[in-house]
Amino acid sequence: MTSETAPTQTGAPLPETMQAVVCHGPEDYRLEEVPVPKPRPGEALVKVEAVGICASDLKCYHGAVKFWGDEQRTAYVETPVIPGHEFVGTIVELDAAASSKWGVGAGDRVVAEQIVPDWTCRYCLDGAYHMCATHDIFGFRHATPGAMAPYMIFPAGSLVHRVSKDLPPAHAAFAEPLSCALHAVERAQLTFDDVVVVAGCGPIGLGMIAGARAKNPKLVVGLDMDDTKLGIARATGADITINIASEDVVARVLELTGGWGADVYLEGSGHPSAVGQGLNLLRKMGRYVEYSVFGAEASVDWTIISDDKELNVLGAHLGPHTWGAAIRLIESGALPLDDICTHQLPLADFQRGLDLVGSGKESIKVSLIP
């Protein structure tokens, strides 16, 4: 073995097996003994410190499917696979090629973007790697098992970022949802004069509020039905919060804007009713950005989008080119992450973690600690 390919390793000898959560199908997740993975050339072996559970994990757990065209239907996940796509860990082993490519070494604390692009398709070549046509994604594909395990592999095509060792593990793992939220904010192209309304004060919505506040618009408004989450939204950067269960949100936004409506609506709740809500509270020629993972189809009156208001409706996916900003924001200490990262559970309590996320009433960000 040459010096260029010799692995660099840190810590005690590795175990041969480990306990991992394994997805076998809808509502069939099991804690199983599996082999500790071994890195191939150009890869890294990472000891997982924390892995978050998000709405897409829950959607996968309940057996969601994706549709391609009118007829073909493919599973949302390839089973069996270890779930988990928002994580932080410490590099245990990697070779010189991986170290040089990513600028990291054994012992470094790292996160990786949830997508592993092919780097050859038209989207990757255009810089839109997050839309890669034939990508892998951690926790959903056989090629890229996720982080609900003590150890995982970063494949050679991964996007890897160093993160401070001073952060609590759950805070560092929040880089994934925060990067997604910041991408949604960037899609909105905020200006200093904008009134921005954010629907939902869960992990994505709170990240949107933080990102919007960093852009310094005229006003940031947070919407939710939970007064505790609205309080955290104010600590995160919202100027005004509205409890949609007790106030007419459209009327209130019109009042705040002199009757015009909001300039920007960032949808992060995942509730179908939030779609029509946003269309109605926007001004003419306003910008609507949709980020949510929906559990059900949402229908709207498209006349509002076209003939009534000529709205700009934008989608947002993953967190391309925003991970550096997300990590810097977390490391700055500006976010109330002790309030956002509400639950850290042992890996064996994965079912409770899924149930907490599904309920949404007791938690904001739930993480497992392998």
Side-chain angles (χ1 to χ4, degrees), residues 148-229:
M148 290 189 188
Y151 295 93
M152 68 182 301
I153 294 290
F154 287 1
S158 302
L159 294 117
V160 179
H161 307 273
R162 188 185 286 111
V163 64
S164 171
K165 294 182 179 181
D166 296 331
L167 297 171
H171 294 192
F174 194 69
E176 194 276 348
L178 183 56
S179 71
C180 295
L182 296 186
H183 176 52
V185 171
E186 288 202 331
R187 289 283 282 163
Q189 298 183 320
L190 301 189
T191 72
F192 297 131
D193 206 37
D194 282 335
V195 173
V196 182
V197 176
V198 177
C201 294
I204 294 295
L206 291 170
M208 289 172 170
I209 288 170
R213 175 42 55 213
K215 296 285 187 179
N216 200 30
K218 180 190 294 183
L219 198 66
V220 178
V221 181
L223 311 180
D224 206 281
M225 300 176 68
D226 186 315
D227 286 331
T228 298
K229 291 179 180 178

Side-chain angles (χ1 to χ4, degrees), residues 23 31 82 113 152-153 155 168 173 208 246 248 275 290 306 366:
C23 167
L31 193 65
I82 299 171
E113 300 191 25
M152 68 182 301
I153 294 290
M208 289 172 170
S246 57
D248 183 333
V275 180
E290 181 58 64
S306 56
V366 178

Side-chain angles (χ1 to χ4, degrees), residues 61-135:
Y61 173 73
H62 287 301
V65 295
K66 284 187 175 180
F67 293 88
W68 305 93
D70 295 330
E71 300 296 335
Q72 186 178 1
R73 187 172 80 171
T74 56
Y76 195 57
V77 62
E78 294 176 350
T79 58
V81 70
I82 299 171
H85 64 277
E86 49 181 70
F87 47 77
V88 64
T90 300
I91 295 176
V92 174
E93 185 178 330
L94 79 171
D95 61 17
S99 179
S100 176
K101 178 179 180 179
W102 294 324
V104 297
D108 283 345
R109 196 187 212 190
V110 289
V111 293
E113 300 191 25
Q114 62 284 84
I115 189 171
V116 182
D118 65 18
W119 298 112
T120 62
C121 76
R122 62 176 295 180
Y123 300 109
C124 289
L125 295 177
D126 285 343
Y129 66 86
H130 64 302
M131 300 305 297
C132 176
T134 59
H135 66 278

Side-chain angles (χ1 to χ4, degrees), residues 247-266:
E247 291 191 67
D248 183 333
V249 63
V250 175
R252 182 74 189 284
V253 170
L254 289 174
E255 176 189 342
L256 291 169
T257 58
W260 295 106
D263 302 283
V264 174
Y265 183 77
L266 303 174

